[in-house]
Amino acid sequence: MIRLHVQGDLAPGAAVAPTLDQSRYLTQVMRLKAGDELLVFNGRDGEWRVSVAEVLKKGVILRAEEQMRPQAYGPDLELIVAVVKKARVETIVEKAAELGARRVRLALTHRTNADRLRLDRLDAIAKEAAEQTGRMDVPAVDDPVKLDALLDGWEDGRRLMFCDETGGAPAVSALTHAGDGKWAILIGPEGGFSPEEGERLRSLPFTTAVSLGPRILRADTAAIAAMTLWQAAVGDWDR
Ligand code: SAH
């Protein structure tokens, strides 16, 4: 069944207006007619079966019929990734949505060679990936922030899996006994972290520095590998 993320509230009988692009997708690509059904979610009210109530020139109106699943969230995992080339950031955002990150934070580091990113495009990628995974929330993608500022404002109780290509404990053993709760994964830029950044990161009390093996990975590969290991060792893959 078609599954879309919508903005509006979902409650019995509620009218929901998808975006114009979504309306076109429903009527022109999928050829839905009044009475046809699909699934929607908004990140708050769970997953709903809705029907096409009206097909208008300016878009489709959906009617919420029945809640199929209550709202649920995956484990509290953030992915922090240094800004790298636009195409790689797009891959990273898509894979973060698929691999169950709740939020993607973009970091500016000493060696970031910032490509101009379009946040609206990254949001759309996160949404589309979330729609196809069956998850009931869409990971937020935050505006780029300096790594130092991000560390200065670190949230109490959140732990950091610092992916450190210059050394660090083997990831599986480091994570196996690390415990669950709030986590973030940090991936550096193509030029790596500067020595000062590495030093600061390793000295923080909430950091676990891990190695992803003896080969240097590209940032997108490293992000996917790290999220996979985290989900298997700490996250919800055993549920
Ligand atoms: N400094 C490297 C490239 C960095 S790769 C160089 O130029 O040789 C980009 C990021 O991916 C790194 O900062 C790190 O966070 C992660 N990464 C890549 N390979 C890794 C590995 N083998 N172990 C841990 N992290 C890795």
Side-chain angles (χ1 to χ4, degrees):
M1 210 185 307
I2 300 168
R3 194 168 181 277
L4 291 182
H5 175 267
V6 294
Q7 296 293 344
D9 292 335
L10 295 165
V16 184
T19 65
L20 200 51
D21 279 348
Q22 288 175 324
S23 290
R24 285 203 195 101
Y25 167 76
L26 292 176
T27 56
Q28 289 168 25
V29 181
M30 302 311 291
R31 308 254 165 220
L32 261 52
K33 309 249 177 305
D36 288 344
E37 296 190 329
L38 61 144
L39 295 172
V40 303
F41 64 105
N42 62 8
R44 306 182 299 276
D45 300 323
E47 181 177 70
W48 286 71
R49 181 169 59 81
V50 300
S51 60
V52 176
E54 283 183 274
V55 179
L56 307 169
K57 274 227 175 61
K58 46 186 201 273
V60 168
I61 305 292
L62 304 172
R63 186 177 45 238
E65 301 287 353
E66 183 193 0
Q67 191 191 52
M68 305 303 284
R69 292 189 293 157
Q71 184 63 38
Y73 299 96
D76 192 344
L77 174 66
E78 292 184 350
L79 177 68
I80 306 172
V81 54
V83 173
V84 288
K85 286 211 179 69
K86 191 167 67 183
R88 286 194 203 281
V89 175
E90 292 180 359
T91 302
I92 289 168
V93 167
E94 180 181 276
K95 302 313 167 198
E98 291 177 33
L99 287 165
R102 276 219 204 152
R103 183 174 177 193
V104 179
R105 310 180 76 180
L106 300 167
L108 301 170
T109 64
H110 296 164
R111 294 183 187 157
T112 302
N113 35 2
D115 225 356
R116 280 198 80 75
L117 298 174
R118 279 186 44 197
L119 261 287
D120 59 337
R121 170 137 179 85
L122 295 177
D123 279 334
I125 289 170
K127 232 169 250 171
E128 272 174 36
E131 286 169 350
Q132 68 87 29
T133 63
R135 64 186 280 174
M136 281 180 277
D137 63 330
V138 176
V141 184
D142 295 2
D143 276 320
V145 172
K146 285 207 169 115
L147 178 65
D148 280 327
L150 213 147
L151 295 174
D152 290 343
W154 197 256
E155 185 188 348
D156 253 1
R158 186 174 296 280
R159 309 185 54 190
L160 178 63
M161 171 181 172
F162 163 40
C163 296
D164 184 0
E165 76 276 18
T166 69
V172 173
S173 53
L175 291 173
T176 300
H177 303 290
D180 53 10
K182 300 185 284 185
W183 275 87
I185 291 172
L186 175 63
I187 304 291
E190 294 301 344
F193 291 103
S194 69
E196 305 86 76
E197 284 171 333
E199 222 166 276
R200 176 168 189 202
L201 284 163
R202 273 183 293 268
S203 74
L204 295 166
F206 47 81
T207 295
T208 305
V210 305
S211 160
L212 300 172
R215 286 160 295 273
I216 301 289
L217 309 173
R218 296 274 200 182
D220 47 354
T221 317
I224 294 166
M227 289 188 286
T228 303
L229 290 169
W230 187 91
Q231 283 290 16
V234 181
D236 62 4
W237 281 15
D238 58 347
R239 272 174 239 160

